Amino acid sequence: MGTGRPRLMRIALDHSTEVGMRTGRLLLGETTLETLGIVGQPVSDRDPRLRRIDDLEGFDVVVTDDPELGIAGRAIASGVPIVAWVDGDDLAPENPAVPFMTGANLATGIAHALAAREMASIGQPSTALIAWTEPGTPLRSGEPVTFPDPVGARWGRIRYRHGITTEVVVPVAGEWAGAVVRVSDEQHTRILGIADLATHLEALALTAGAVTVASGTTQPGLVRPADYADEYLLAALRAGLEIASFTSATA
């Protein structure tokens, strides 16, 4: 019989940006973390779970903030799954033999996972809006989107529209970021929103991807966070993601 103990995770972190460093700190808050290996860089923290590594063998996943995915070849050769911050499907090999998650970021990760979860729970949605911020010069007109404070009400531009789904990107200046999902059926409208420091939200998104893949539930091949929305969002919530929600009657 099983002991009922959670699976302990061995995660390799390949980082070069503030997002990656914050991801490491968030991963150290995971109670199921056994080892966090820092690829090719010295380690000064005294946490016994933390150490420098040069070999990926034996790790459950390698998580990277590298937009070029330079570590992907080494990971695949070692049979280690990959989680990437970048939307890098074009950088991944065709039909990888290990789980290869791309887009573990605010937009493709958290925002789209929230939308997938809400659309599945509402049954037969009639409309769905997915909006998120990106660094840029704020617009003076366009599609109106209201995020939780401190981002607030903003103008965005439609990036994609297909069927019932509309995706809107909202340029913002400064350190804050956010995402909003609005899903409606014939009776109700459900709105979910998040806002926080941009680097923190991106690190939460990458952390959630790492934990999801390290759990061993993802299938080999290219995957996105929304493919495992429930597991991904649960991992993000455990890492500290806070979601504001509102439900109203559809006019």
Side-chain angles (χ1 to χ4, degrees), residues 92-186:
E94 186 175 356
N95 299 320
V98 295
F100 199 127
M101 178 180 283
T102 63
N105 53 50
L106 172 62
T108 313
I110 293 175
H112 279 76
L114 282 171
R117 178 69 182 87
E118 287 305 304
M119 292 175 74
S121 64
I122 207 168
Q124 294 183 320
S126 55
T127 63
L129 170 77
I130 310 170
W132 64 91
T133 61
E134 289 184 356
T137 303
L139 303 177
R140 296 186 177 182
S141 63
E143 296 293 318
V145 181
T146 300
F147 298 90
D149 290 334
V151 178
R154 302 278 181 161
W155 296 106
R157 65 172 65 93
I158 295 175
R159 175 167 291 181
Y160 174 83
R161 178 177 280 159
H162 180 74
I164 66 169
T165 302
T166 300
E167 298 182 5
V168 177
V169 59
V170 179
V172 297
E175 61 185 357
W176 300 102
V180 168
V181 169
R182 185 173 69 234
V183 180
S184 300
D185 61 12
E186 293 182 354

